[in-house]
Amino acid sequence: MIRFESVTMRYPDSDAPTLANVDLQISEAELCLVVGRTGTGKTTLLKAINGLFPHFTGGTLTGRITVAGRSTADHLPREFADVIGMVGQDPNDGFVTDIVEEELAYGMESLGLAGTVMRRRVEETLDILGLVDLRHRALSTLSGGERQRVAIGSVLTTHPSVLVLDEPTSALDPPAADEVLAVLQRLVHDLGLTVVLAEHRLERVVHLADTMVHLTGVGQPIEVGTPADIMATSSVAPPVIELGRLAGWHPLPLSVRDARRRATGLTTDLRTRRAASSTENSDRNATSAGLLNRASAAVDRKVVGQIRGLTVAYGGKPVLHGIDLDLLAGQVMAVMGRNGAGKSSLLRAIVGATQHQRGTVSVTGHDPATLPAHRLVRTVGLVPQDPSDLLYAESVDAECAAADRDAGTPAGTCRGLVEQLMPSISGSVHPRDLSEGQRLILVLAIVMTGSPALLLLDEPTRGLDYPSKRTLTAILQDLVNRGHAVVVATHDVEFAATASDRTIVLADGEIVVDGPTAEVVVASPAFAPQIAKILAPLPLLTVDDVRALLEDEVA
């Protein structure tokens, strides 16, 4: 169905190719998963499938790419519209209309399908993706995850032979992600659709893939094989694979179910070690980096932010109802909940970007909405879901220089943070040419340059690989160690389990759970990390927890 023959791709003004000498064949009715470190060319590979690279992006392509017998050299992207459906990293980039139902129908209208066919397919897609209640909503009023489901639905209605998805679950809550991936699997198995997707949250999808393409580095050879073969040596791997490597399991399990079947002996060993350890060590090992102990001590910490009776509404419809929260210095708090629960609205209200109807917000004794810009950057900073909203300069270096000036910090401060988070980002490149993950890293560095007392991050792991998330976790831990408060709205349960002390869960604009992360995520099947599911009822959240317990000398 899809064939790459000796393909090399180079962007304009780039000294080296992004992808070189790629030979790849993806068969009909196959789910192909593209993996690799952030910035290694996954998006570029996907854009080449329908000719967006180089027809739209610019650059040069040598070699030959064919899809369903059509060459991308001889056909423009629009000429693949009947064969290929594509959803990019930012769903907003693909929207043409304003209303959910109209967006689902637009692609079919462009293909000239009959009205009766269009009506039936719209209804089917609304049901499949759980969008029925949103059908008449304006796209501008939807959450990031809801927009992502609409974007996927808008290409499913055209019934393409090939579906190309770039980070399709990055903004979806775990249940919604499972539903979307289950739909994709049914389309592959039952209808013979070919699906090619790039994804960083491999714990969600690796067990569903038929074939995996591993991009080992910019301009480096690619690896193609089964998920089990690629995961045996891959530099990016989900917790279930890392646990299998640690335990020495062969073959490696790809799913929680497979791992649980293999983990009987490991679970017994870990249970014995915990029982033999002292109470103090047992408590320390029971949670990731001692989360229970840190969270229980947090009540004595300084209150950086105070929220009382916060109520927010959009178009007369309440999205937050009487929120009461204390945000504490030295604490990372995760905000979780299904799409549309109010997570982003809460962060925007705290920073003063959204007007609230009732209640008060105070950060270091001030309402952020009333602070001038030069004081706001040192009081509270928000890294939004779409990092491009904060980028306006012509290069990475120019963005960093502006951040240093705005925050009144020494020249090079912002650039130093970028180097710490992701050294591969070139200072001369235009921010719009960065990958989603690279843009997020740049914006995170810009916001952190002001060293705000309260740092807010909205889905900060979108586009980040596992090593980059570990680096981000270390950065946040350093911030809280220096007395800052951090709030992270996220659907990434693995990141929350590793990085946060405290977790709140929102539902319909209200706080339904507030407690130590270890207690909250283990108690919820939807938000439990892979290790907690595999080793239940042991209260272990991460592979590092398991490693620490195995390395603990038991007398």
Side-chain angles (χ1 to χ4, degrees):
M1 177 61 74
I2 302 171
R3 184 187 294 271
F4 284 63
E5 300 173 85
S6 301
V7 172
T8 295
M9 291 172 267
R10 187 192 308 268
Y11 280 101
D13 304 322
S14 176
D15 296 331
T18 299
L19 294 168
N21 301 316
V22 175
D23 288 294
L24 172 65
Q25 182 170 336
I26 302 172
S27 302
E28 185 178 358
E30 186 170 88
L31 196 158
C32 177
L33 177 61
V34 182
V35 303
R37 293 292 307 273
T38 300
T40 53
K42 297 184 295 299
T43 298
T44 301
L45 179 71
L46 298 188
K47 286 181 176 179
I49 292 176
N50 71 342
L52 284 175
F53 184 98
H55 293 300
F56 178 77
T57 63
T60 58
L61 184 150
T62 60
R64 178 177 171 83
I65 301 174
T66 56
V67 181
R70 304 180 195 176
S71 169
T72 60
D74 303 326
H75 295 79
L76 295 173
R78 64 174 178 268
E79 297 176 81
F80 285 98
D82 62 326
V83 177
I84 302 172
M86 188 163 189
V87 180
Q89 284 183 343
D90 186 351
N92 295 322
D93 290 345
F95 290 152
V96 180
T97 68
D98 298 321
I99 305 299
V100 170
E101 193 173 51
E102 295 174 359
E103 188 64 30
L104 296 180
Y106 179 81
M108 295 183 289
E109 291 176 341
S110 301
L111 295 176
L113 299 183
T116 54
V117 174
M118 293 168 54
R119 176 64 184 272
R120 185 186 73 249
R121 291 187 184 179
V122 166
E123 294 300 327
E124 291 171 350
T125 303
L126 288 169
D127 288 333
I128 287 173
L129 294 177
L131 296 171
V132 175
D133 293 338
L134 305 178
R135 66 187 308 158
H136 300 303
R137 287 271 300 276
L139 295 172
S140 60
T141 67
L142 302 182
S143 71
E146 290 167 340
R147 293 177 190 176
Q148 196 142 10
R149 278 188 284 164
V150 173
I152 293 171
S154 68
V155 298
L156 285 180
T157 55
T158 64
H159 285 196
S161 302
V162 176
L163 188 58
V164 180
L165 303 159
D166 199 356
E167 299 280 349
T169 73
S170 61
L172 299 181
D173 60 67
D178 290 342
E179 290 174 7
V180 168
L181 292 172
V183 169
L184 295 180
Q185 191 177 31
R186 288 201 303 271
L187 292 172
V188 172
H189 292 175
D190 298 343
L191 301 180
L193 190 70
T194 300
V195 174
V196 184
L197 64 89
E199 184 62 73
H200 279 302
R201 297 183 187 176
L202 302 184
E203 64 273 9
R204 293 179 167 180
V205 70
V206 67
H207 59 289
L208 303 177
D210 300 303
T211 303
M212 184 172 286
V213 177
H214 180 210
L215 307 186
T216 58
V218 176
Q220 299 300 309
I222 69 170
E223 298 176 346
V224 182
T226 66
D229 290 340
I230 298 297
M231 284 292 99
T233 58
S234 173
S235 60
V236 290
V240 65
I241 298 295
E242 295 287 356
L243 181 66
R245 291 174 179 175
L246 178 64
W249 293 337
H250 297 286
L252 290 171
L254 299 179
S255 68
V256 168
R257 183 186 183 194
D258 291 342
R260 283 186 66 89
R261 291 174 173 175
R262 302 286 298 276
T264 304
L266 177 62
T267 302
T268 300
D269 182 20
L270 292 170
R271 187 181 292 113
T272 301
R273 287 173 175 271
R274 288 191 75 246
S277 298
S278 66
T279 301
E280 180 181 354
N281 285 335
S282 178
D283 287 343
R284 174 177 55 82
N285 289 324
T287 61
S288 179
L291 295 179
L292 279 176
N293 292 339
R294 293 213 305 270
S296 63
V299 293
D300 298 325
R301 291 176 177 155
K302 177 183 176 183
V303 175
V304 173
Q306 190 174 72
I307 301 166
R308 293 292 181 266
L310 181 66
T311 298
V312 174
Y314 295 136
K317 180 180 179 181
V319 294
L320 292 174
H321 309 273
I323 299 294
D324 292 321
L325 275 176
D326 285 337
L327 308 177
L328 307 177
Q331 184 182 77
V332 178
M333 185 182 80
V335 182
M336 306 188 78
R338 68 177 69 94
N339 292 115
K343 300 182 297 298
S344 297
S345 297
L346 175 61
L347 267 57
R348 290 177 58 83
I350 293 174
V351 80
T354 294
Q355 185 177 8
H356 48 273
Q357 279 62 48
R358 289 189 300 276
T360 60
V361 176
S362 174
V363 180
T364 64
H366 305 279
D367 182 351
T370 66
L371 292 177
H374 70 278
R375 290 186 60 189
L376 182 64
V377 296
R378 291 190 171 276
T379 303
V380 56
L382 170 64
V383 178
Q385 246 183 48
D386 185 356
S388 298
D389 290 346
L390 299 187
L391 300 174
Y392 59 88
E394 296 296 317
S395 69
V396 170
D397 281 346
E399 289 283 3
C400 288
D404 290 338
R405 291 193 301 270
D406 292 342
T409 56
T413 300
C414 180
R415 183 62 200 177
L417 288 168
V418 173
E419 289 293 325
Q420 186 178 359
L421 288 164
M422 191 174 291
S424 61
I425 297 179
S426 170
S428 60
V429 70
H430 196 289
R432 304 291 173 172
D433 292 332
L434 298 174
S435 71
E436 185 82 4
Q438 290 171 324
R439 282 198 297 271
L440 186 140
I441 288 296
L442 175 58
V443 170
L444 178 60
I446 290 171
V447 173
M448 287 174 54
T449 298
S451 193
L454 174 61
L455 177 64
L456 311 173
L457 303 102
D458 197 355
E459 292 294 346
T461 61
R462 289 183 65 183
L464 295 188
D465 55 46
Y466 293 102
S468 296
K469 285 193 280 191
R470 284 194 289 270
T471 300
L472 176 58
T473 299
I475 293 290
L476 298 183
Q477 190 58 55
D478 178 64
L479 280 174
V480 297
N481 288 344
R482 292 191 279 117
H484 296 260
V486 177
V487 179
V488 181
T490 184
H491 293 304
D492 191 336
V493 297
E494 304 296 340
F495 178 72
T498 303
S500 66
D501 312 296
R502 171 188 175 195
T503 293
I504 68 169
V505 178
L506 291 178
D508 296 327
E510 298 180 345
I511 298 175
V512 295
V513 179
D514 183 352
T517 294
E519 295 178 359
V520 172
V521 299
V522 170
S524 170
F527 299 117
Q530 283 193 314
I531 300 305
K533 293 177 180 178
I534 294 168
L535 300 178
L538 287 171
L540 302 171
L541 305 187
T542 69
V543 176
D544 286 341
D545 292 344
V546 177
R547 183 178 292 109
L549 194 52
L550 291 176
E551 293 175 353
D552 189 30
E553 293 296 331
V554 180

